[in-house]
Amino acid sequence: MTASSVSGVLAGFFESAWPSDAVPAEPEGLDRAGWASLAELGLHLVDIGEDHGGSGGDLADLVQIAVLCGRHAADLPVVESHLAAWALARSGLEIDPAHAYSVPFGPADVTVDTTADGTGDGTGRASGVLRDVPWGGTVDRVVAVTADGRLIVVDPAHVRVTSGHDLAGQPRDRLLLDGAPVTLASSAVPADDLVLRAAVLRVSQMAGAMQVIAEMTRRYTGERFQFGKPIGTFQAVQAHLVEIQQMAVMTTALAERLAVQPDLRAFDVMAAKLVANENAMAAARAAHQAHGAIGMTREYRLHLLTRRLHGWRGDAGDTLPLAARLGAATAASPSFAAAVLDDDHRPEVRP
């Protein structure tokens, strides 16, 4: 199935679940009914082989689903559940397709005692802290990669949860583990690989959000009149419209380019996330300036998207750490060209 057909097939589902003219309430926890509908379609299991309990498909399909999540401001842990399920499948652990999963976006400061239960059958007791876990207290399982390369599966019912929210008002919890029972395995997914995949999906969500921000800003500035004509005809406002559209198109191109890579290159992903972070800031600023006061009200949908953009900028690579890593990678390379070209010495990857 092509990426465009994935978007076409699923557009109706997303519009029905998250109407584009609605301003949903900020969730206090996991919407179980909504999750059941999404899990029935297996959208969070795309790009995971069917022989591992996934839905099949490839990264290009998954990127289109993440774009739709961004466009519709989906308030379910679709990306987070995918990341956890992908790590489980890669590490040979079973996936429950009905389960909602999450992963920590902050450090996983956890130690595991494999002798506490004396069974040695892939279980243990874990102590420590998992930070910045979206929906961490209300999903079925949280999956994390520890510093010593273990994959642990945590039941939130067995830990102490400190509830919180991110900049967009979505659940973002801290889990305190004090000898909590965990399922564990040697992780086949290095922690950095999980971060890279998370960055690709956040770039995709940001692209979707910027697309719809561009559309709603064009619509608003075409309907709002001052001095007898739409404000969108004023040159200053048109500059904002152009900037938002540029940011949306550029970020969408970044997501689509990453989706066709046979293997994610760290340099490419870091560069894409850094550019998407900057684009998100520019698009949010221009959109609010074009909208004026109404863009700051809770009743208007714009804040739902721009607050998420700000929140996603900090996930899987904030601007300054990404710039530092890119600078270090470039300095260690024989030349800038060698840093940006792929193994076949091509500047771009073709599908």
Side-chain angles (χ1 to χ4, degrees):
M1 186 176 289
T2 65
S4 58
S5 64
V6 170
S7 297
V9 168
L10 294 176
F13 168 78
F14 274 86
E15 182 59 30
S16 173
W18 296 282
S20 55
D21 58 350
V23 181
E26 293 173 353
E28 288 299 323
L30 182 67
D31 173 6
R32 284 288 171 183
W35 179 257
S37 299
L38 188 138
E40 188 175 4
L41 297 177
L43 300 186
H44 60 304
L45 301 179
V46 169
D47 195 29
I48 298 173
E50 295 180 36
D51 53 338
H52 291 99
S55 301
D58 57 24
L59 182 58
D61 299 328
L62 181 65
V63 161
Q64 290 304 309
I65 291 171
V67 169
L68 285 169
C69 288
R71 282 187 63 88
H72 290 270
D75 53 356
L76 290 174
V78 182
V79 164
E80 293 81 0
S81 284
H82 168 81
L83 294 170
W86 179 74
L88 288 174
R90 287 293 183 98
S91 303
L93 294 180
E94 185 177 356
I95 301 170
D96 186 330
H99 272 180
Y101 294 98
S102 191
V103 294
F105 278 86
D109 297 327
V110 174
T111 58
V112 181
D113 182 357
T114 58
T115 64
D117 292 334
T119 58
D121 60 352
T123 61
R125 297 273 173 176
S127 298
V129 184
L130 299 177
R131 298 179 175 84
D132 287 339
V133 188
W135 288 270
T138 51
V139 294
D140 297 293
R141 296 290 185 273
V142 173
V143 175
V145 179
T146 63
D148 59 357
R150 288 180 169 138
L151 189 79
I152 62 171
V153 185
V154 181
D155 183 346
H158 296 149
V159 305
R160 187 153 60 92
V161 178
T162 302
S163 299
H165 296 87
D166 63 14
L167 289 174
Q170 296 187 293
R172 184 68 65 115
D173 303 332
R174 173 179 293 195
L175 274 54
L176 305 176
L177 290 68
D178 184 11
V182 295
T183 301
L184 59 91
S186 178
S187 177
V189 178
D192 204 46
D193 284 6
L194 196 60
V195 173
L196 292 179
R197 177 165 279 250
V200 172
L201 298 178
R202 285 291 192 244
V203 169
S204 305
Q205 289 177 290
M206 293 160 88
M210 280 185 251
Q211 290 171 9
V212 78
I213 287 172
E215 292 166 9
M216 67 190 299
T217 306
R218 282 200 305 272
R219 184 170 59 248
Y220 174 77
T221 56
E223 296 170 348
R224 177 86 165 90
F225 276 65
Q226 273 194 341
F227 307 114
K229 56 185 179 180
I231 62 172
T233 60
F234 297 122
Q235 192 170 24
V237 177
Q238 288 175 343
H240 293 317
L241 295 175
V242 169
E243 183 175 23
I244 299 167
Q245 187 67 29
Q246 287 174 327
M247 299 303 105
V249 170
M250 190 192 312
T251 309
T252 301
L254 289 171
E256 292 177 347
R257 186 207 186 282
L258 293 173
V260 299
Q261 286 196 351
D263 297 300
L264 293 176
R265 292 182 70 231
F267 191 94
D268 294 351
V269 176
M270 288 188 295
K273 182 63 167 50
L274 177 59
V275 173
N277 284 354
E278 295 302 294
N279 290 353
M281 176 71 83
R285 180 175 56 237
H288 279 287
Q289 287 180 336
H291 276 85
I294 191 173
M296 304 300 292
T297 61
R298 282 195 172 273
E299 293 75 16
Y300 193 70
R301 188 176 174 81
L302 181 62
H303 76 90
L304 197 68
L305 299 156
T306 55
R307 290 166 65 205
R308 290 185 190 212
L309 286 179
H310 285 302
W312 291 333
R313 291 177 74 238
D315 288 342
D318 207 345
T319 298
L320 286 179
L322 284 173
R325 285 189 64 179
L326 284 170
T330 304
S333 180
S335 66
F336 180 73
V340 300
L341 295 176
D342 64 19
D343 293 338
D344 296 326
H345 305 293
R346 293 176 303 164
E348 294 183 5
V349 176
R350 296 177 177 82

